Amino acid sequence: MRYPPTMRHPPTDTALRDLILAQLAEPGTAWSLGTFGAAAEFRRGPDEPARPLADGRLGLCTARGGIALVPHPDLVPVAYETALPGGWSHAVALCLPETALPHPRRGAVTALGLDREALDPDARDEPLFDLGLGLGPVALLARAGDAEGRARLAALGGAPLPDPDAFVAASGRAGHPALVFAGPLGRVEVLRSDGPPPGPRAHAVAQVLRLGRTHVATAPIPPGLVPCAHIQPPHPLRDGAGAPCPFRRAHHDAFQTLLERWGDPALVALKRHRLGLGPDPGLAPDRRTRAVARVAAAQIEAGAYPEPRGTRGEVTEC
C-alpha cells in the first residue's frame, strides 16, 4: 500500500512483530480492539498468570480473557499523545486503510456455528453468535458455554439486539455470555469482567456508534486510515488500575521511543522545539499543534523535562 507521508519509514513485518511482542511482555500494557463507541480491552494484573497462545497467533490468555493478533500486510502503527485536563494520554493505534476493512456487518443476532478461533482450545466447540451491531472494522460476538446461555442467545436470533449497551455491560459477569470482538487484526475475548482491576472489560454505547466516527477527534490519524486496535503502554503517572502514581521515568522514556519511531515526524519535531530541543518545523497552528503544546507543558510539569528556554507561556502558546 502507499503509506502516509507522515511516516518516516514503512513498517516491516519484523518491526511490527517486535512491537507487538514487546508490549505483550509488559504486564502494564492495555490493549483494545474495536471502534469509536464500542471496544473490548485486554488488561491483566502485574502478577496475574498469563500464557502465550499455542496456535502460532501473537497473544496471551488469562483466566479472565485474552487477545490474539494477526499482523496484516497493510497494518500501519500510529503513535501519539493527547492532552487531557491536568495531564496527557498516549497510545499506538493499529490502523488499516479504509479499503482493507470488512463490509458492513449483520443487522440482527445471527448464529455463526462453532467458535473455531477461540483462544482456549476447550471453547472451540461452543457456538458463536454475531450480535448484529454493524461496527465495520470489528464484529461484536458472544459465546455461551452452558446450555441455558446458548438458549438465550439462540432466542434472540433473527432480530436486532434489544439493548446493546446493557447486554455488553452485563457480559462477562456470572451467568452471562463471554464477549468476543473480532476483526482483521485479531480478537479480544472478555470471559470475566467482574474481577478486580486491571482486567478485561468491554463497552458499547449505541448513541456514540450512531455518530459513525472511526476515532476520537484528538487522535492525529492520517487520512485514509482507520484505527482497528490500540496499544496503551504503561503511563508514567497512572498505575494499571488508572490510579495516580509518582512519575515513572522509565515508562515515559519507553513511550518517547515509540513516538519517535511510529509518530508523525512533524508533530514530534514540534514537540522537541517546544521543549527547546530542536528547530521550529514551521507548522501552521491548528488543533494538533495546540495539543502538542499542551502535552509538552504537562510533561514539564510532571518532571519529564527540565524547564525549556523561555517562559512556560512560550511553551504552551501555539
Side-chain angles (χ1 to χ4, degrees):
M1 68 166 290
R2 293 181 61 188
Y3 289 94
T6 55
M7 181 167 286
R8 286 190 184 91
H9 306 290
T12 65
D13 290 346
T14 300
L16 292 173
R17 185 180 179 88
D18 289 347
L19 169 67
I20 292 170
L21 287 175
Q23 295 304 316
L24 286 171
E26 170 54 67
T29 293
W31 304 77
S32 67
L33 192 147
T35 190
F36 186 62
E41 298 182 7
F42 174 69
R43 300 172 183 259
R44 57 188 173 118
D47 301 316
E48 186 172 3
R51 64 184 187 279
L53 304 181
D55 56 12
R57 288 179 291 180
L58 304 179
L60 292 172
C61 273
T62 69
R64 298 190 287 168
I67 181 170
L69 293 171
V70 181
H72 191 283
D74 291 331
L75 174 61
V76 178
V78 179
Y80 61 91
E81 298 171 313
T82 54
L84 299 174
W88 75 96
S89 65
H90 63 217
V92 180
L94 302 181
C95 303
L96 290 176
E98 294 179 9
T99 54
L101 297 180
H103 296 295
R105 300 288 178 173
R106 302 170 179 85
V109 178
T110 306
L112 300 180
L114 303 182
D115 188 7
R116 296 304 192 190
E117 300 296 320
L119 304 186
D120 182 355
D122 292 339
R124 293 176 185 170
D125 290 327
E126 297 175 5
L128 190 67
F129 293 80
D130 189 325
L131 297 180
L133 294 186
L135 301 185
V138 294
L140 205 174
L141 316 173
R143 188 179 69 223
D146 60 86
E148 183 179 353
R150 289 194 291 270
R152 286 200 300 267
L153 286 171
L156 296 170
L161 192 65
D163 190 345
D165 299 29
F167 186 96
V168 172
S171 294
R173 298 177 182 175
H176 294 272
L179 280 184
V180 180
F181 278 62
L185 297 184
R187 63 164 53 194
V188 169
E189 298 186 6
V190 180
L191 307 181
R192 286 177 46 207
S193 60
D194 53 358
R201 61 184 181 182
H203 73 271
V205 183
Q207 184 176 358
V208 177
L209 287 170
R210 283 194 288 270
L211 298 175
R213 292 167 54 182
T214 62
H215 56 277
V216 297
T218 54
I221 304 300
L225 294 179
V226 176
C228 297
H230 287 82
I231 305 171
Q232 293 176 302
H235 195 276
L237 292 178
R238 295 193 296 272
D239 64 18
C245 65
F247 179 73
R248 301 178 292 182
R249 175 160 296 282
H251 291 319
H252 175 75
D253 292 346
F255 189 80
Q256 298 313 299
T257 298
L258 294 177
L259 192 63
E260 288 280 347
R261 174 63 179 88
W262 303 110
D264 183 322
L267 296 181
V268 172
L270 176 61
K271 181 181 176 184
R272 291 182 59 82
H273 172 67
R274 290 288 166 184
L275 294 169
L277 301 174
D280 188 347
L283 299 181
D286 61 13
R287 182 191 337 218
R288 300 180 313 148
T289 61
R290 289 189 289 271
V292 169
R294 291 195 297 270
V295 168
Q299 292 178 351
I300 292 169
E301 186 71 28
Y305 302 99
E307 190 77 32
R309 65 174 182 268
T311 67
R312 181 68 54 87
E314 289 173 332
V315 176
T316 57
E317 289 174 2
C318 200

